[in-house]
Amino acid sequence: MNKYISIFKILTVLLLLSAFLSGCAAKVNTSPKRRVVRSDTGTKVWKSKRPAGKIISGPVRYERMTRQSSELAARRLSARSQDMKSWRDLGPHLRKSIEYTRRNPSGGLALNRNELRLTWGQLRKSLEDLERLLPRLDKNPELLGRNFVWYELLSGAEMTGYYTPVIEASLTRKGPYQYPVYRVPPDLRKARPGQTHPWSEQLRKAYRVEHGKILPYYSRREIDIDRVLAGRGLEVAWLKDPVDLFYMHVQGGGVLRLPDGRLRTAVFSGSNGLSFKGLGSILYRNSILKKNELSREKIKSYLLSNPGHMWKLMAENESYIFFKITRGQPLGAIGKPLKAKVSLASDPQLIPLGAIVSFRADIYPAKNSPAHRVNGVGLAQDTGKAIRGARLDYYIGTGNEFKYGAHHLKNQIPVYLLISRSALRR
């Protein structure tokens, strides 16, 4: 009997102990702590990886894609979407970029970022490898993923469009042609490579010397309003429209249609080195137009309707461009003619000149027309003062028929930098 009582007591103790431990366990929170990021820390919190091809938020940086992902991306590319019959058509434009990269020291850094460093030699090798691969890409586009490493720009990039306008002009001042296009003035000086000066970075780009003093070069206000360059024989053409002249400065060039129908090209040949401000931001900051009214057409309409304010507003953009008149095609920053649907303007600190870029964008060629999808391979062949950071400017073409498509291209797009695997082994 005592034996059964002892067993009963032991079982009772065990049951009580089990209940006690279960209660304690219920109070323990085993789920991981949620990470809390204060809004004032500046830390970027990444969103989930895009399931539907959307851009994820985060800092501007490159990430190497897997070979399988690169091959899948390469299969989506289409030469026809860039108005080329075959990838072979890309060859002449690749050679222009190859010539540019050869002008730079092979071991010099073309791109110097924490996550990715590339030399000019590696860029040139990548261009040469792509040129050799072109005859095989029409049948086997995945070779571009197999032979090249694709570096995805994780933040994506804002893509805008530009074109070369055809502008009414005269080589002499007459009738309605009253707004001058200036060549580089002889008193505009630039520091020689490696030369150091005790003045600001802006003055290293362009300056003038007056009575032995080093001064910034003349601003747009001094040139357009005070007319400090007038009467010095620097005029190389005259335009009808002052706003067209301003936008020719923004574009860095234009095609001029002379009164007799001949065409000439205004090519960038220098600048005053001062800071750039866009007309849209100027009018918005002055509470003249709202954000949804900042189309080029509305900006131009306001300025021409308010000539009393026009020159002062345009003068807030201190940057001024000088041109030379040629019979050739519009040139990019690499000193070679641009190719429609291929050439890109980029920030060289993020996408160096000469780089191969893959991208996807939708272009609306005309009002109320369906979008034209481009799955393309572009070449970084141009730059611009307004092109900074994660932004690409896509060259649409030469002629006013491309105006609508260029002005209505503004999207956040996926971007990839392509470097050949053999170049990376160097």
Side-chain angles (χ1 to χ4, degrees):
M1 185 71 179
N2 291 335
K3 180 180 178 181
Y4 291 117
I5 292 173
S6 297
I7 293 172
F8 177 77
K9 287 181 179 180
I10 291 170
L11 289 173
T12 302
V13 170
L14 288 174
L15 287 172
L16 290 173
L17 182 60
S18 175
F20 174 76
L21 290 175
S22 298
C24 291
K27 295 177 184 179
V28 177
N29 184 7
T30 58
S31 61
K33 291 183 179 180
R34 183 178 180 181
R35 184 185 175 206
V36 178
V37 180
R38 288 169 36 213
S39 61
D40 60 346
T41 61
T43 302
K44 295 288 186 180
V45 181
W46 289 87
K47 295 179 181 177
S48 60
K49 194 70 174 177
R50 49 190 180 280
K54 294 183 179 179
I55 301 299
I56 54 179
S57 65
V60 176
R61 67 182 182 89
Y62 287 104
E63 184 175 278
R64 182 170 177 157
M65 294 174 63
T66 65
R67 182 176 296 196
Q68 183 181 12
S69 297
S70 299
E71 289 183 22
L72 288 172
R75 290 193 189 104
R76 290 195 290 265
L77 296 175
S78 167
R80 293 185 179 277
S81 73
Q82 295 179 263
D83 296 340
M84 295 186 293
K85 294 180 180 179
S86 163
W87 285 117
R88 290 182 177 89
D89 296 345
L90 195 61
H93 314 292
L94 280 172
R95 286 190 284 276
K96 294 172 187 175
S97 292
I98 291 171
E99 290 175 21
Y100 172 76
T101 56
R102 281 178 178 162
R103 298 202 298 265
N104 295 279
S106 183
L109 284 176
L111 182 65
N112 186 12
R113 297 179 60 83
N114 291 333
E115 75 277 15
L116 183 60
R117 286 180 173 81
L118 298 170
T119 66
W120 290 109
Q122 288 174 317
L123 284 188
R124 185 178 68 251
K125 173 65 173 168
S126 297
L127 291 162
E128 292 169 346
D129 287 349
L130 178 56
E131 185 181 21
R132 283 191 288 269
L133 201 61
L134 290 180
R136 303 166 61 192
L137 285 184
D138 290 332
K139 289 186 177 179
N140 299 294
E142 66 274 5
L143 291 174
L144 197 57
R146 196 173 301 160
N147 291 275
F148 281 74
V149 173
W150 289 46
Y151 291 97
E152 182 180 12
L153 189 63
L154 289 181
S155 63
E158 180 185 56
M159 174 166 273
T160 52
Y162 73 116
Y163 74 112
T164 303
V166 177
I167 306 169
E168 300 298 321
S170 171
L171 299 182
T172 58
R173 186 179 188 180
K174 61 181 180 181
Y177 303 100
Q178 295 295 317
Y179 304 101
V181 177
Y182 290 114
R183 63 180 172 87
V184 175
D187 61 343
L188 186 150
R189 303 187 185 185
K190 289 185 177 180
R192 296 185 301 274
Q195 185 179 2
T196 57
H197 294 293
W199 54 86
S200 73
E201 180 62 28
Q202 288 289 353
L203 292 182
R204 292 193 186 104
K205 297 175 183 176
Y207 64 95
R208 61 190 174 91
V209 178
E210 186 175 320
H211 304 302
K213 293 183 178 180
I214 296 168
L215 301 170
Y217 202 75
Y218 298 116
S219 66
R220 181 175 294 275
R221 175 179 294 277
E222 291 171 305
I223 295 172
D224 281 348
I225 297 177
D226 300 338
R227 301 183 60 77
V228 294
L229 299 183
R232 294 173 54 180
L234 301 173
E235 298 87 354
V236 292
W238 301 81
L239 304 191
K240 283 183 177 180
D241 190 316
V243 184
D244 283 347
L245 177 59
F246 182 96
Y247 278 119
M248 193 171 85
H249 284 219
V250 174
Q251 298 279 153
V255 173
L256 308 182
R257 180 182 285 116
L258 305 183
D260 60 5
R262 290 178 299 157
L263 297 179
R264 294 291 183 268
T265 302
V267 178
F268 175 95
S269 62
S271 78
N272 64 352
L274 298 179
S275 58
F276 173 88
K277 289 181 182 177
L279 265 179
S281 62
I282 291 170
L283 268 63
Y284 177 73
R285 193 177 59 254
N286 283 279
S287 302
I288 294 171
L289 294 179
K290 299 176 181 178
K291 275 191 176 181
N292 60 355
E293 298 174 326
L294 297 180
S295 68
R296 190 167 292 191
E297 292 81 3
K298 289 185 178 180
I299 290 171
K300 182 175 181 177
S301 175
Y302 173 83
L303 292 175
L304 294 178
S305 301
N306 296 272
H309 300 297
M310 177 178 63
W311 293 106
K312 291 182 180 178
L313 288 168
M314 292 195 300
E316 289 191 32
N317 172 30
E318 295 185 325
S319 173
Y320 204 91
I321 306 300
F322 303 104
F323 299 92
K324 59 182 177 181
I325 306 301
T326 73
R327 289 180 170 85
Q329 302 176 49
L331 303 180
I334 65 171
K336 302 291 182 181
L338 298 170
K339 169 62 176 173
K341 303 285 184 68
V342 170
S343 297
L344 296 163
S346 64
D347 181 349
Q349 300 297 316
L350 185 63
I351 300 176
L353 286 170
I356 305 165
V357 180
S358 178
F359 63 93
R360 183 174 68 248
D362 291 326
I363 300 174
Y364 293 86
K367 190 174 182 179
N368 298 323
S369 68
H372 171 68
R373 168 62 60 88
V374 178
N375 281 299
V377 173
L379 301 174
Q381 297 182 323
D382 205 3
T383 59
K385 286 196 171 183
I387 311 302
R388 293 291 180 266
R391 180 179 169 187
L392 287 173
D393 216 12
Y394 191 32
Y395 184 65
I396 305 298
T398 299
N400 294 335
E401 66 269 26
F402 298 104
K403 178 179 178 180
Y404 187 90
H407 291 176
H408 291 80
L409 175 56
K410 190 172 184 180
N411 293 300
Q412 196 79 5
I413 63 163
V415 173
Y416 310 89
L417 186 62
L418 275 57
I419 306 295
S420 73
R421 297 183 186 276
S422 61
L424 291 172
R425 287 194 291 269
R426 288 188 163 192

